[in-house]
Amino acid sequence: MATYNRLPVTFDRGEGVWLWDTNGKRYLDALSGIAVCGLGHAHPAVRDALCEQAGRLIHTSNIYGVAEQERLGALLTEQAGMDRVFFANSGAEANEAAIKLARLHAHRRGIENPAILVAEHSFHGRTLATLSATGNRKVQAGFEPLVQGFVRVPYDDLDAIETAATNRPNIVAILIEPIQGEGGIRLPSDDYLVRLREICDRSGWLLMLDEIQTGMGRTGRLFAFQHAGIQPDVVTLAKGLGNGMPIGACLARGAAAEVFSPGSHGSTFGGNPLACRVGRAVLETLIDENLTENAAAQGAYLLDSLRAALGETHGLVEIRGRGLMVGIELDRPCGELVGRALDAGLLINVTAERVIRLLPPLIIDRAQIDELVATLTGLIHGFLGDA
Ligand SMILES: *Cc1c(COP(=O)(O)O)cnc(C)c1O
C-alpha cells in the first residue's frame, strides 16, 4: 500500500557505511536505515550469526525453552542493569509491552483508570496505543478514537510534570525518549533524566524510557540513560538491536520486572532463536569492537567538523546531538535537501521539517566523516544560498 513517499532509488547491496544502487552508483549511508544498521551493512558477525542459526533452528515457540532468547536476555539485562526482558518484533510492540505493563502494575495496586505521562513532539510508534502516546497530530489524524490514558506535557519542562503530578492522582508512569529522534533531535537539559527519576521515585511512578532510537550505542553510551547515571524502571529497544533483523525488547527492573505473569502478554515470533542469535551478535560486536566508544569519538568529531564548516552560515539555527545522533536545524523547511543529497551520493533524512538528521553507522571512521561533512555542508550552503 502507498504508506511511504519513496525516493527514486533502489539499493542492491551494501558494505560497511556504503550502499550501491541497482545502477551501480555508490552512496555514503549517513542514516543507517533510520538508526538500525549500527554495525553498517553486511557485517560479517551479523551474516555469520544469521546463516549459522538459520541452518540450526529458526523458530519453535515461546511455549518451550528458547536457549538463544535466554542468552540474549542475560547479556542485555546485564549490560542495561535491568532484571528481566520481554522480546517483541518491533519498536512499537516493545512500547505496547511497556504500556500494558504500566497499566497492569497500576491495576494491581487498585488504580482503576491509570494514565501515563507522555511528551509533546514524541514518537513511540504506529500501533493504536503507541500512536496515541505519540505527540504528533499527523501520526494520529484519521485514526480516532485514540487510546485513552495518556497525559501530554511539553518536553524538557519539569514544572509541567509537577503540575500534572498534583492535578492527576491517576498518573502511574512516564514514557519518554532520552533524546527525541523523530521530533527533531531534541536534547533535554542535562539534569532532565535525573530530575525525572526523582519525581518518579517520590510519586511512585514508573520511569519508562523509549530508547528505540537512542539505544544500542547510538549516543556514545550503550544506552542514553547511562549519560545521566540513573536507572529507569522500564526501557524499550528495537532499531539497532537487530541491525535489520526485526526484534524489539522491553526491559524492566525491580517491581516492574515482576508485573507480567503467564498469560499477561505474548508474541508468536517475539524472542525466536534467529532474531535473538542476531541480537546477541550485534551486542557482542558493539562491545568487542568498542563501537560505543567509536560513536562517542566520531560523534564529537562530526559535531566539531559541522560547526567549523557551517558556523556562521546565515539560515543555520543550531547544530546539536550526542554521539552519532546529530541534528542540523535550519530556519526553513529543507526536505528537498534529501533529494539533492541522494544525487550527490549521500543518504540523509529531514525530520520535523527543518532538521537534517544524521544517524550514520557506529563503525564510521574519520575519513568517512570528512567526506560526509564536505558533501553535506556544500549542499547546505547551496540550499541556503539559492533558497
Ligand atoms: C522508530 C521508533 C519507534 C517505533 O519503532 P518501530 O520498529 O517502527 O515500530 C518508537 N519509538 C522511537 C523513539 C522510535 O525512534
Side-chain angles (χ1 to χ4, degrees), residues 195-222:
R195 300 290 304 281
L196 288 185
R197 181 69 274 177
E198 286 168 9
I199 294 171
C200 286
D201 286 341
R202 184 178 358 116
S203 313
W205 301 345
L206 298 178
L207 178 58
M208 309 202 296
L209 297 181
D210 179 343
E211 292 237 24
I212 290 163
Q213 195 161 143
T214 55
M216 303 308 292
R218 175 57 52 192
T219 69
R221 300 293 297 264
L222 198 47

PDB file of all heavy atoms in Angstrom, residues 195-222:
ATOM      1  N   ARG A 195      16.199  14.432  37.257  1.00  0.00           N
ATOM      2  CA  ARG A 195      15.019  15.010  37.906  1.00  0.00           C
ATOM      3  C   ARG A 195      13.771  14.159  37.681  1.00  0.00           C
ATOM      4  O   ARG A 195      12.946  13.997  38.585  1.00  0.00           O
ATOM      5  CB  ARG A 195      14.799  16.446  37.417  1.00  0.00           C
ATOM      6  CG  ARG A 195      15.966  17.400  37.706  1.00  0.00           C
ATOM      7  CD  ARG A 195      16.089  17.719  39.198  1.00  0.00           C
ATOM      8  NE  ARG A 195      14.853  18.256  39.735  1.00  0.00           N
ATOM      9  CZ  ARG A 195      14.435  19.510  39.595  1.00  0.00           C
ATOM     10  NH1 ARG A 195      15.202  20.377  38.950  1.00  0.00           N
ATOM     11  NH2 ARG A 195      13.288  19.902  40.096  1.00  0.00           N
ATOM     12  N   LEU A 196      13.644  13.595  36.473  1.00  0.00           N
ATOM     13  CA  LEU A 196      12.513  12.695  36.220  1.00  0.00           C
ATOM     14  C   LEU A 196      12.580  11.492  37.157  1.00  0.00           C
ATOM     15  O   LEU A 196      11.551  11.040  37.684  1.00  0.00           O
ATOM     16  CB  LEU A 196      12.507  12.207  34.769  1.00  0.00           C
ATOM     17  CG  LEU A 196      12.132  13.206  33.672  1.00  0.00           C
ATOM     18  CD1 LEU A 196      12.073  12.500  32.320  1.00  0.00           C
ATOM     19  CD2 LEU A 196      10.797  13.882  33.965  1.00  0.00           C
ATOM     20  N   ARG A 197      13.784  10.976  37.361  1.00  0.00           N
ATOM     21  CA  ARG A 197      13.963   9.835  38.261  1.00  0.00           C
ATOM     22  C   ARG A 197      13.498  10.208  39.674  1.00  0.00           C
ATOM     23  O   ARG A 197      12.794   9.438  40.338  1.00  0.00           O
ATOM     24  CB  ARG A 197      15.438   9.410  38.237  1.00  0.00           C
ATOM     25  CG  ARG A 197      15.863   8.225  39.090  1.00  0.00           C
ATOM     26  CD  ARG A 197      15.316   6.893  38.614  1.00  0.00           C
ATOM     27  NE  ARG A 197      13.994   6.632  39.155  1.00  0.00           N
ATOM     28  CZ  ARG A 197      13.258   5.563  38.848  1.00  0.00           C
ATOM     29  NH1 ARG A 197      13.700   4.654  37.990  1.00  0.00           N
ATOM     30  NH2 ARG A 197      12.069   5.389  39.379  1.00  0.00           N
ATOM     31  N   GLU A 198      13.871  11.412  40.121  1.00  0.00           N
ATOM     32  CA  GLU A 198      13.468  11.869  41.454  1.00  0.00           C
ATOM     33  C   GLU A 198      11.953  11.991  41.565  1.00  0.00           C
ATOM     34  O   GLU A 198      11.347  11.548  42.550  1.00  0.00           O
ATOM     35  CB  GLU A 198      14.092  13.247  41.762  1.00  0.00           C
ATOM     36  CG  GLU A 198      15.590  13.174  42.060  1.00  0.00           C
ATOM     37  CD  GLU A 198      16.247  14.556  42.062  1.00  0.00           C
ATOM     38  OE1 GLU A 198      15.516  15.584  41.996  1.00  0.00           O
ATOM     39  OE2 GLU A 198      17.485  14.600  42.109  1.00  0.00           O
ATOM     40  N   ILE A 199      11.334  12.587  40.537  1.00  0.00           N
ATOM     41  CA  ILE A 199       9.874  12.770  40.560  1.00  0.00           C
ATOM     42  C   ILE A 199       9.179  11.403  40.582  1.00  0.00           C
ATOM     43  O   ILE A 199       8.225  11.186  41.340  1.00  0.00           O
ATOM     44  CB  ILE A 199       9.409  13.600  39.345  1.00  0.00           C
ATOM     45  CG1 ILE A 199       9.944  15.033  39.442  1.00  0.00           C
ATOM     46  CG2 ILE A 199       7.882  13.601  39.228  1.00  0.00           C
ATOM     47  CD1 ILE A 199       9.735  15.872  38.190  1.00  0.00           C
ATOM     48  N   CYS A 200       9.675  10.484  39.765  1.00  0.00           N
ATOM     49  CA  CYS A 200       9.069   9.145  39.716  1.00  0.00           C
ATOM     50  C   CYS A 200       9.207   8.436  41.063  1.00  0.00           C
ATOM     51  O   CYS A 200       8.261   7.795  41.541  1.00  0.00           O
ATOM     52  CB  CYS A 200       9.692   8.315  38.597  1.00  0.00           C
ATOM     53  SG  CYS A 200       9.149   8.811  36.960  1.00  0.00           S
ATOM     54  N   ASP A 201      10.375   8.545  41.691  1.00  0.00           N
ATOM     55  CA  ASP A 201      10.580   7.901  42.994  1.00  0.00           C
ATOM     56  C   ASP A 201       9.622   8.479  44.029  1.00  0.00           C
ATOM     57  O   ASP A 201       8.997   7.753  44.799  1.00  0.00           O
ATOM     58  CB  ASP A 201      12.031   8.103  43.464  1.00  0.00           C
ATOM     59  CG  ASP A 201      12.995   7.233  42.682  1.00  0.00           C
ATOM     60  OD1 ASP A 201      12.541   6.253  42.059  1.00  0.00           O
ATOM     61  OD2 ASP A 201      14.205   7.540  42.691  1.00  0.00           O
ATOM     62  N   ARG A 202       9.520   9.799  44.024  1.00  0.00           N
ATOM     63  CA  ARG A 202       8.691  10.485  45.004  1.00  0.00           C
ATOM     64  C   ARG A 202       7.207  10.172  44.787  1.00  0.00           C
ATOM     65  O   ARG A 202       6.432  10.075  45.733  1.00  0.00           O
ATOM     66  CB  ARG A 202       8.937  11.996  44.865  1.00  0.00           C
ATOM     67  CG  ARG A 202       8.224  12.824  45.868  1.00  0.00           C
ATOM     68  CD  ARG A 202       8.487  14.333  45.784  1.00  0.00           C
ATOM     69  NE  ARG A 202       9.428  14.800  44.794  1.00  0.00           N
ATOM     70  CZ  ARG A 202       9.075  15.597  43.775  1.00  0.00           C
ATOM     71  NH1 ARG A 202       7.823  15.964  43.589  1.00  0.00           N
ATOM     72  NH2 ARG A 202       9.988  16.023  42.929  1.00  0.00           N
ATOM     73  N   SER A 203       6.795   9.999  43.515  1.00  0.00           N
ATOM     74  CA  SER A 203       5.379   9.840  43.193  1.00  0.00           C
ATOM     75  C   SER A 203       4.956   8.387  43.045  1.00  0.00           C
ATOM     76  O   SER A 203       3.765   8.119  42.844  1.00  0.00           O
ATOM     77  CB  SER A 203       5.069  10.585  41.886  1.00  0.00           C
ATOM     78  OG  SER A 203       5.623  11.880  41.895  1.00  0.00           O
ATOM     79  N   GLY A 204       5.908   7.469  43.104  1.00  0.00           N
ATOM     80  CA  GLY A 204       5.569   6.056  42.908  1.00  0.00           C
ATOM     81  C   GLY A 204       5.237   5.729  41.458  1.00  0.00           C
ATOM     82  O   GLY A 204       4.490   4.801  41.165  1.00  0.00           O
ATOM     83  N   TRP A 205       5.798   6.511  40.515  1.00  0.00           N
ATOM     84  CA  TRP A 205       5.589   6.256  39.078  1.00  0.00           C
ATOM     85  C   TRP A 205       6.734   5.418  38.526  1.00  0.00           C
ATOM     86  O   TRP A 205       7.851   5.457  39.035  1.00  0.00           O
ATOM     87  CB  TRP A 205       5.576   7.560  38.274  1.00  0.00           C
ATOM     88  CG  TRP A 205       4.552   8.562  38.659  1.00  0.00           C
ATOM     89  CD1 TRP A 205       3.448   8.384  39.445  1.00  0.00           C
ATOM     90  CD2 TRP A 205       4.550   9.944  38.259  1.00  0.00           C
ATOM     91  NE1 TRP A 205       2.756   9.565  39.551  1.00  0.00           N
ATOM     92  CE2 TRP A 205       3.410  10.533  38.832  1.00  0.00           C
ATOM     93  CE3 TRP A 205       5.389  10.731  37.463  1.00  0.00           C
ATOM     94  CZ2 TRP A 205       3.089  11.878  38.644  1.00  0.00           C
ATOM     95  CZ3 TRP A 205       5.085  12.060  37.271  1.00  0.00           C
ATOM     96  CH2 TRP A 205       3.932  12.630  37.856  1.00  0.00           C
ATOM     97  N   LEU A 206       6.429   4.713  37.437  1.00  0.00           N
ATOM     98  CA  LEU A 206       7.483   4.014  36.704  1.00  0.00           C
ATOM     99  C   LEU A 206       8.132   4.988  35.719  1.00  0.00           C
ATOM    100  O   LEU A 206       7.423   5.706  35.009  1.00  0.00           O
ATOM    101  CB  LEU A 206       6.902   2.827  35.918  1.00  0.00           C
ATOM    102  CG  LEU A 206       6.234   1.722  36.735  1.00  0.00           C
ATOM    103  CD1 LEU A 206       5.663   0.656  35.791  1.00  0.00           C
ATOM    104  CD2 LEU A 206       7.220   1.099  37.720  1.00  0.00           C
ATOM    105  N   LEU A 207       9.453   5.012  35.689  1.00  0.00           N
ATOM    106  CA  LEU A 207      10.169   5.783  34.675  1.00  0.00           C
ATOM    107  C   LEU A 207      10.447   4.847  33.499  1.00  0.00           C
ATOM    108  O   LEU A 207      11.249   3.908  33.618  1.00  0.00           O
ATOM    109  CB  LEU A 207      11.469   6.361  35.234  1.00  0.00           C
ATOM    110  CG  LEU A 207      12.308   7.158  34.223  1.00  0.00           C
ATOM    111  CD1 LEU A 207      11.520   8.320  33.627  1.00  0.00           C
ATOM    112  CD2 LEU A 207      13.597   7.661  34.863  1.00  0.00           C
ATOM    113  N   MET A 208       9.752   5.086  32.384  1.00  0.00           N
ATOM    114  CA  MET A 208       9.851   4.202  31.212  1.00  0.00           C
ATOM    115  C   MET A 208      10.509   4.984  30.072  1.00  0.00           C
ATOM    116  O   MET A 208       9.952   5.973  29.587  1.00  0.00           O
ATOM    117  CB  MET A 208       8.464   3.711  30.794  1.00  0.00           C
ATOM    118  CG  MET A 208       7.661   3.118  31.966  1.00  0.00           C
ATOM    119  SD  MET A 208       6.360   1.988  31.464  1.00  0.00           S
ATOM    120  CE  MET A 208       5.271   3.078  30.548  1.00  0.00           C
ATOM    121  N   LEU A 209      11.701   4.547  29.666  1.00  0.00           N
ATOM    122  CA  LEU A 209      12.445   5.268  28.634  1.00  0.00           C
ATOM    123  C   LEU A 209      12.357   4.536  27.299  1.00  0.00           C
ATOM    124  O   LEU A 209      12.657   3.336  27.213  1.00  0.00           O
ATOM    125  CB  LEU A 209      13.913   5.415  29.052  1.00  0.00           C
ATOM    126  CG  LEU A 209      14.135   6.249  30.312  1.00  0.00           C
ATOM    127  CD1 LEU A 209      15.635   6.347  30.608  1.00  0.00           C
ATOM    128  CD2 LEU A 209      13.533   7.650  30.174  1.00  0.00           C
ATOM    129  N   ASP A 210      11.922   5.261  26.294  1.00  0.00           N
ATOM    130  CA  ASP A 210      11.890   4.747  24.931  1.00  0.00           C
ATOM    131  C   ASP A 210      13.264   5.002  24.322  1.00  0.00           C
ATOM    132  O   ASP A 210      13.576   6.112  23.896  1.00  0.00           O
ATOM    133  CB  ASP A 210      10.773   5.443  24.136  1.00  0.00           C
ATOM    134  CG  ASP A 210      10.706   4.972  22.680  1.00  0.00           C
ATOM    135  OD1 ASP A 210      11.683   4.368  22.207  1.00  0.00           O
ATOM    136  OD2 ASP A 210       9.668   5.221  22.032  1.00  0.00           O
ATOM    137  N   GLU A 211      14.099   3.945  24.314  1.00  0.00           N
ATOM    138  CA  GLU A 211      15.458   4.037  23.756  1.00  0.00           C
ATOM    139  C   GLU A 211      15.539   3.305  22.419  1.00  0.00           C
ATOM    140  O   GLU A 211      16.601   2.796  22.040  1.00  0.00           O
ATOM    141  CB  GLU A 211      16.488   3.480  24.753  1.00  0.00           C
ATOM    142  CG  GLU A 211      16.647   4.329  25.996  1.00  0.00           C
ATOM    143  CD  GLU A 211      18.090   4.791  26.204  1.00  0.00           C
ATOM    144  OE1 GLU A 211      18.857   4.852  25.226  1.00  0.00           O
ATOM    145  OE2 GLU A 211      18.421   5.094  27.368  1.00  0.00           O
ATOM    146  N   ILE A 212      14.415   3.269  21.737  1.00  0.00           N
ATOM    147  CA  ILE A 212      14.370   2.551  20.462  1.00  0.00           C
ATOM    148  C   ILE A 212      15.317   3.191  19.445  1.00  0.00           C
ATOM    149  O   ILE A 212      15.955   2.496  18.665  1.00  0.00           O
ATOM    150  CB  ILE A 212      12.913   2.480  19.967  1.00  0.00           C
ATOM    151  CG1 ILE A 212      12.132   1.526  20.883  1.00  0.00           C
ATOM    152  CG2 ILE A 212      12.818   2.051  18.511  1.00  0.00           C
ATOM    153  CD1 ILE A 212      10.636   1.641  20.811  1.00  0.00           C
ATOM    154  N   GLN A 213      15.442   4.512  19.484  1.00  0.00           N
ATOM    155  CA  GLN A 213      16.372   5.203  18.579  1.00  0.00           C
ATOM    156  C   GLN A 213      17.711   5.505  19.262  1.00  0.00           C
ATOM    157  O   GLN A 213      18.761   5.448  18.642  1.00  0.00           O
ATOM    158  CB  GLN A 213      15.730   6.493  18.053  1.00  0.00           C
ATOM    159  CG  GLN A 213      16.458   7.068  16.861  1.00  0.00           C
ATOM    160  CD  GLN A 213      15.637   8.047  16.032  1.00  0.00           C
ATOM    161  OE1 GLN A 213      16.151   9.027  15.542  1.00  0.00           O
ATOM    162  NE2 GLN A 213      14.354   7.795  15.860  1.00  0.00           N
ATOM    163  N   THR A 214      17.671   5.834  20.555  1.00  0.00           N
ATOM    164  CA  THR A 214      18.895   6.265  21.255  1.00  0.00           C
ATOM    165  C   THR A 214      19.741   5.102  21.770  1.00  0.00           C
ATOM    166  O   THR A 214      20.913   5.306  22.086  1.00  0.00           O
ATOM    167  CB  THR A 214      18.535   7.158  22.467  1.00  0.00           C
ATOM    168  OG1 THR A 214      17.611   6.433  23.298  1.00  0.00           O
ATOM    169  CG2 THR A 214      17.907   8.468  22.037  1.00  0.00           C
ATOM    170  N   GLY A 215      19.155   3.924  21.870  1.00  0.00           N
ATOM    171  CA  GLY A 215      19.844   2.793  22.490  1.00  0.00           C
ATOM    172  C   GLY A 215      20.865   2.131  21.575  1.00  0.00           C
ATOM    173  O   GLY A 215      21.095   2.556  20.440  1.00  0.00           O
ATOM    174  N   MET A 216      21.510   1.097  22.071  1.00  0.00           N
ATOM    175  CA  MET A 216      22.468   0.279  21.325  1.00  0.00           C
ATOM    176  C   MET A 216      23.653   1.093  20.799  1.00  0.00           C
ATOM    177  O   MET A 216      24.078   0.945  19.652  1.00  0.00           O
ATOM    178  CB  MET A 216      21.764  -0.468  20.187  1.00  0.00           C
ATOM    179  CG  MET A 216      20.624  -1.353  20.661  1.00  0.00           C
ATOM    180  SD  MET A 216      21.075  -2.503  21.993  1.00  0.00           S
ATOM    181  CE  MET A 216      22.194  -3.620  21.162  1.00  0.00           C
ATOM    182  N   GLY A 217      24.174   1.962  21.671  1.00  0.00           N
ATOM    183  CA  GLY A 217      25.420   2.658  21.376  1.00  0.00           C
ATOM    184  C   GLY A 217      25.288   3.955  20.608  1.00  0.00           C
ATOM    185  O   GLY A 217      26.267   4.695  20.462  1.00  0.00           O
ATOM    186  N   ARG A 218      24.133   4.246  20.111  1.00  0.00           N
ATOM    187  CA  ARG A 218      23.921   5.378  19.218  1.00  0.00           C
ATOM    188  C   ARG A 218      24.452   6.707  19.773  1.00  0.00           C
ATOM    189  O   ARG A 218      25.031   7.508  19.046  1.00  0.00           O
ATOM    190  CB  ARG A 218      22.403   5.455  18.907  1.00  0.00           C
ATOM    191  CG  ARG A 218      21.895   6.612  18.090  1.00  0.00           C
ATOM    192  CD  ARG A 218      22.502   6.800  16.727  1.00  0.00           C
ATOM    193  NE  ARG A 218      22.513   5.633  15.865  1.00  0.00           N
ATOM    194  CZ  ARG A 218      23.224   5.570  14.712  1.00  0.00           C
ATOM    195  NH1 ARG A 218      23.933   6.611  14.316  1.00  0.00           N
ATOM    196  NH2 ARG A 218      23.217   4.473  13.986  1.00  0.00           N
ATOM    197  N   THR A 219      24.227   6.969  21.052  1.00  0.00           N
ATOM    198  CA  THR A 219      24.586   8.287  21.603  1.00  0.00           C
ATOM    199  C   THR A 219      25.975   8.311  22.243  1.00  0.00           C
ATOM    200  O   THR A 219      26.354   9.285  22.899  1.00  0.00           O
ATOM    201  CB  THR A 219      23.560   8.761  22.654  1.00  0.00           C
ATOM    202  OG1 THR A 219      23.683   7.923  23.820  1.00  0.00           O
ATOM    203  CG2 THR A 219      22.138   8.712  22.129  1.00  0.00           C
ATOM    204  N   GLY A 220      26.745   7.225  22.084  1.00  0.00           N
ATOM    205  CA  GLY A 220      28.076   7.201  22.681  1.00  0.00           C
ATOM    206  C   GLY A 220      28.121   6.513  24.038  1.00  0.00           C
ATOM    207  O   GLY A 220      29.182   6.424  24.653  1.00  0.00           O
ATOM    208  N   ARG A 221      27.009   6.047  24.523  1.00  0.00           N
ATOM    209  CA  ARG A 221      26.924   5.077  25.619  1.00  0.00           C
ATOM    210  C   ARG A 221      26.013   3.973  25.099  1.00  0.00           C
ATOM    211  O   ARG A 221      25.211   4.215  24.190  1.00  0.00           O
ATOM    212  CB  ARG A 221      26.304   5.701  26.891  1.00  0.00           C
ATOM    213  CG  ARG A 221      27.086   6.903  27.447  1.00  0.00           C
ATOM    214  CD  ARG A 221      28.463   6.517  27.980  1.00  0.00           C
ATOM    215  NE  ARG A 221      28.415   5.607  29.121  1.00  0.00           N
ATOM    216  CZ  ARG A 221      28.485   5.993  30.397  1.00  0.00           C
ATOM    217  NH1 ARG A 221      28.612   7.278  30.700  1.00  0.00           N
ATOM    218  NH2 ARG A 221      28.451   5.104  31.360  1.00  0.00           N
ATOM    219  N   LEU A 222      26.091   2.793  25.702  1.00  0.00           N
ATOM    220  CA  LEU A 222      25.250   1.707  25.184  1.00  0.00           C
ATOM    221  C   LEU A 222      23.775   2.123  25.243  1.00  0.00           C
ATOM    222  O   LEU A 222      23.003   1.883  24.316  1.00  0.00           O
ATOM    223  CB  LEU A 222      25.501   0.423  25.973  1.00  0.00           C
ATOM    224  CG  LEU A 222      25.049  -0.874  25.306  1.00  0.00           C
ATOM    225  CD1 LEU A 222      25.472  -0.983  23.854  1.00  0.00           C
ATOM    226  CD2 LEU A 222      25.570  -2.070  26.097  1.00  0.00           C
TER     227      LEU A 222
END
